Amino acid sequence: MIDDIMQQLLCSVPGLNVKTNEPMSRHTTFRIGGPADLWCRPNTIDELIETVQFATNKGIPFQIIGNGSNLLVRDGGIRGLVIETTALNRIADRDDNVIEVECGVSLSDLVLYAMERSFTGLEFAYGIPGTVGGAVYMNAGAYGGEMKNCVIETDYIDSSGNIHTLAGDEHRFCYRGSFFTEHPECVILRTRLKLSAGDKEKIQECMSELMGKREASQPLQYPSAGSFFKRPKGYYAGKLISDSELRGARCGDAEVSQKHAGFIINAGNANCSDVLCLMETVQSTVKKRFGVDLEPEVKIIGEEK
Ligand SMILES: Cc1cc2nc3c(=O)[nH]c(=O)nc-3n(C[C@H](O)[C@H](O)[C@H](O)COP(=O)(O)OP(=O)(O)OC[C@H]3O[C@@H](n4cnc5c(N)ncnc54)[C@H](O)[C@@H]3O)c2cc1C
């Protein structure tokens, strides 16, 4: 059955890089996740569009992913098709300090590209290990900056396979959300960012300073999906967890980082059940101690084993 669908997909999108039964642990920064029935990595935006249209026309469920750096995939894996965007990595200059970026461009590559042109406004994103698509989807942010401040237009494909463009406020950016978190069936193709002319040396300094802060405060040597919980209004998740004496707490090989209590790390061979068990322990302990509900920032997808 899955092999049949793969053959049909290859007839519709010849040359597509596609695999069956592909472990999602290979495609998430947590290094966790059971197999996807079908996984593919389009090489061009046209291939991406044709793949989405194929899945839509055949009624095959699909999940779009970027670098898998904000994902926790359950141990039973993903039924249907996973479409990974990381080969869609072209950047082009447009007029008036605008750059156009395909959805699979890594944020760090984008920041380096902007820096080379002395464009300022994106330094905050240096070191966030996601793609532009993932960052627009959830309005990624750090150190006072967020995607909202520079995204001006985004092309996307809807669930019927039609292409549209969002402009300005239509993105509906908010804390870790956007039009796309409200419409997860839509796929971001490319986005246009408006930046400002700046001083290359100052931009470089700012990037190194922010990277230094990341390295000093985050457990970057371990697989993780970054801050596991959203920031509750009026609090910091990491402080609540630390004040609940949960640093170093474990379920199997999932561990509340000693270095940054807001991170759950994969300290060995953790599976998704380990992380979910630890997540629930953290949520119930913080609720009991401080009466605060912690909501995961990480997207939890796929099926139980
Ligand atoms: C060490 C570490 C540090 C981090 N630091 C930060 C930080 O400072 N700030 C921050 O905001 N985040 C941070 N993150 C989390 C993560 O890197 C960001 O959320 C990033 O934007 C996710 O991008 P991604 O490509 O990995 O998306 P994925 O994890 O692959 O996907 C996340 C969501 O985006 C959707 N998506 C991805 N691409 C598309 C597309 N083309 N169209 C439609 N939907 C799409 C997916 O369906 C999924 O729902 C960190 C993560 C790690 C591991």
Side-chain angles (χ1 to χ4, degrees), residues 46-217:
D46 283 348
E47 276 190 8
L48 171 62
I49 293 170
E50 287 161 17
T51 304
V52 170
Q53 286 171 338
F54 169 88
T56 303
N57 293 339
K58 298 275 178 196
I60 297 165
F62 69 88
Q63 170 70 51
I64 188 93
I65 69 165
N67 196 39
S69 64
N70 202 36
L71 290 181
L72 176 61
V73 180
R74 292 193 183 88
D75 300 318
I78 299 180
R79 303 293 71 80
L81 174 63
V82 169
I83 307 173
E84 183 184 308
T85 63
T86 51
L88 305 169
N89 51 16
R90 290 154 202 91
I91 311 179
D93 292 314
R94 295 285 175 256
D95 292 341
D96 209 12
N97 298 358
V98 172
I99 50 183
E100 183 176 272
V101 191
E102 290 184 353
C103 59
V105 169
S106 90
L107 286 173
S108 290
D109 286 352
L110 172 63
V111 181
L112 287 168
Y113 181 97
M115 181 267 287
E116 284 301 331
R117 280 154 184 75
S118 303
F119 286 153
T120 181
L122 272 172
E123 294 86 330
F124 75 90
Y126 194 51
I128 300 180
T131 62
V132 166
V136 171
Y137 172 89
M138 54 90 79
N139 187 24
Y143 305 114
E146 53 184 346
M147 294 306 286
K148 178 185 175 181
N149 299 340
C150 40
V151 171
I152 54 168
E153 279 182 347
T154 300
D155 302 333
Y156 71 96
I157 180 167
D158 70 17
S159 56
S160 312
N162 298 315
I163 298 171
H164 307 267
T165 299
L166 283 185
D169 289 347
E170 290 171 348
H171 288 87
R172 300 166 63 83
F173 285 122
C174 56
Y175 174 64
R176 299 300 175 262
S178 72
F179 168 89
F180 297 102
T181 43
E182 294 166 17
H183 298 276
E185 73 285 0
C186 295
V187 174
I188 297 161
L189 302 174
R190 58 177 88 73
T191 198
R192 286 171 284 283
L193 305 157
K194 171 101 173 155
L195 301 167
S196 309
D199 177 273
K200 191 168 172 180
E201 257 177 45
K202 281 198 183 135
I203 296 168
Q204 263 170 327
E205 261 171 44
C206 180
M207 285 162 60
S208 325
E209 189 194 321
L210 296 184
M211 186 56 96
K213 280 191 183 170
R214 273 182 193 278
E215 285 167 353
S217 64

Side-chain angles (χ1 to χ4, degrees), residues 213-269:
K213 280 191 183 170
R214 273 182 193 278
E215 285 167 353
S217 64
Q218 299 182 0
L220 300 181
Q221 70 276 35
Y222 288 102
S224 79
S227 295
F228 196 91
F229 298 100
K230 287 186 182 166
R231 195 176 59 229
K233 240 193 162 108
Y235 299 92
Y236 288 100
K239 177 152 172 37
L240 290 171
I241 297 167
S242 180
D243 290 350
S244 301
E245 285 145 54
L246 284 165
R247 273 179 199 267
R250 280 179 91 127
C251 282
D253 274 349
E255 182 178 308
V256 173
S257 165
Q258 295 274 6
K259 193 166 179 182
H260 186 319
F263 277 54
I264 291 181
I265 57 169
N266 179 354
N269 276 317

